[in-house]
Amino acid sequence: MTTVNARGITLGIESFGEDNAPLVLLAGGTTMLSWPNALCERLAAGGRHVVRYDLRDSGKSTTTDPQAPSYTLRDLAADAAALADALGRGPAHLAGIGVGGMVAQVAVLDHPSVFSALTLVGTRPVAPGPPDDDLPDHDQATMSRLFARPMPDWADREAVAEFAAAGAEILGDDPVAVRAIAARIWDRTPGTAPPVQMANQLGMVFSRLDCRPRWRERLPEIEVPTLVVHGRRNRFFPVGNGEAIARVIPGARLLVLEEAATAVPDAAAGEVTEAMLTLG
């Protein structure tokens, strides 16, 4: 793991594969560890130079004040484009997961010449907050269970890992895998202040971002090959959100993972890798 300066912002990155191979850039949601090792390694074995990175206010990227971010969603999209340029491997295949998928949609719309393909995993075509009437919202029973839990002691690594594992069980993800990832995220978080830990573990900073203007109506402008991946069991962004994206992006392929929720399980890494590699 290292860092790259892009637009005056420090972005934490980790690379897999040969440096001279075609670039696949993975936008985390919010940390790079949203992207499983198994997927990154398979993409690299398929002849790609894979770079996963932390968004601002997470991991090793610039962290200032997650409670009052001075940047917008479009700044995060510009970060992705600047990082692709800084890595110097020509147009990149950009992939975003969760809220990172929102960043990826805007990045391809605002910086089309920088990207050659787009993969969107477990995301939706509108900003955090109430969705459009035709899009399914978060499963309310699941959200009630998630947010009824008391916050952990953010200075206690084990308590944070247990909190994440319990949340994964509610969401339908693998609690063992999520516990291990949460511990790694804790180790990479610059401090134990609750707002910083929440930005890393929960991505709460996104609820405070300026995400205007809307981008959903611009999705038909996307001209690069696009793959939309969504877990059938995703209760946070139900599968109808992925279906809506795939309907409006010209030529987009929809891949529904029947046994997945919000994360890409290792068991699905091969199927997702194969689909991504067909895009270029």
Side-chain angles (χ1 to χ4, degrees), residues 77 81 85 90-94 104-118 218 221-225:
D85 282 339
H93 178 163
L94 177 63
Q105 291 170 69
V106 175
V108 170
L109 286 166
D110 285 1
H111 309 275
S113 65
V114 179
F115 302 107
S116 59
L118 174 64
R218 295 179 58 206
E221 300 172 20
I222 292 177
E223 296 181 348
V224 298

Side-chain angles (χ1 to χ4, degrees), residues 123 135-136 228 230 232 238-248 254 256:
T123 191
L135 296 175
V228 180
H230 218 101
R232 178 75 71 188
V239 68
N241 290 281
E243 292 168 343
I245 294 171
R247 278 196 300 269
V248 297
L254 175 65
V256 176

Side-chain angles (χ1 to χ4, degrees), residues 3-16:
T3 60
V4 170
N5 186 282
R7 301 174 67 238
I9 301 297
T10 296
L11 297 175
I13 71 167
E14 183 177 20
S15 300
F16 301 77

Side-chain angles (χ1 to χ4, degrees), residues 131-148:
D132 294 348
D133 290 344
D134 66 320
L135 296 175
D137 201 354
H138 310 302
D139 178 77
Q140 292 308 309
T142 299
M143 295 302 102
S144 295
R145 292 178 62 197
L146 273 179
F147 292 107

Side-chain angles (χ1 to χ4, degrees), residues 151-264:
M151 290 293 174
D153 175 359
W154 295 109
D156 184 336
R157 183 178 187 269
E158 290 305 310
V160 171
E162 175 58 30
F163 179 79
E169 201 153 18
I170 292 170
L171 288 168
D173 291 319
D174 179 358
V176 174
V178 170
R179 179 194 298 273
I181 292 169
R184 290 185 64 199
I185 291 173
W186 193 95
D187 291 340
R188 301 180 66 249
T189 300
T192 56
V196 176
Q197 280 286 349
M198 288 175 68
N200 278 258
Q201 297 283 349
L202 304 180
M204 296 299 287
V205 68
F206 264 80
S207 65
R208 301 181 176 90
L209 284 188
D210 176 1
C211 297
R212 297 166 296 179
R214 284 170 57 93
W215 71 89
R216 185 183 183 188
E217 290 73 17
R218 295 179 58 206
L219 291 178
E221 300 172 20
I222 292 177
E223 296 181 348
V224 298
T226 299
L227 171 69
V228 180
V229 181
H230 218 101
R232 178 75 71 188
R233 298 166 55 207
N234 191 330
R235 301 168 194 158
F236 194 80
F237 292 143
V239 68
N241 290 281
E243 292 168 343
I245 294 171
R247 278 196 300 269
V248 297
I249 296 178
R253 175 190 172 191
L254 175 65
L255 172 61
V256 176
L257 304 177
E258 296 296 336
E259 300 302 320
T262 67
V264 177

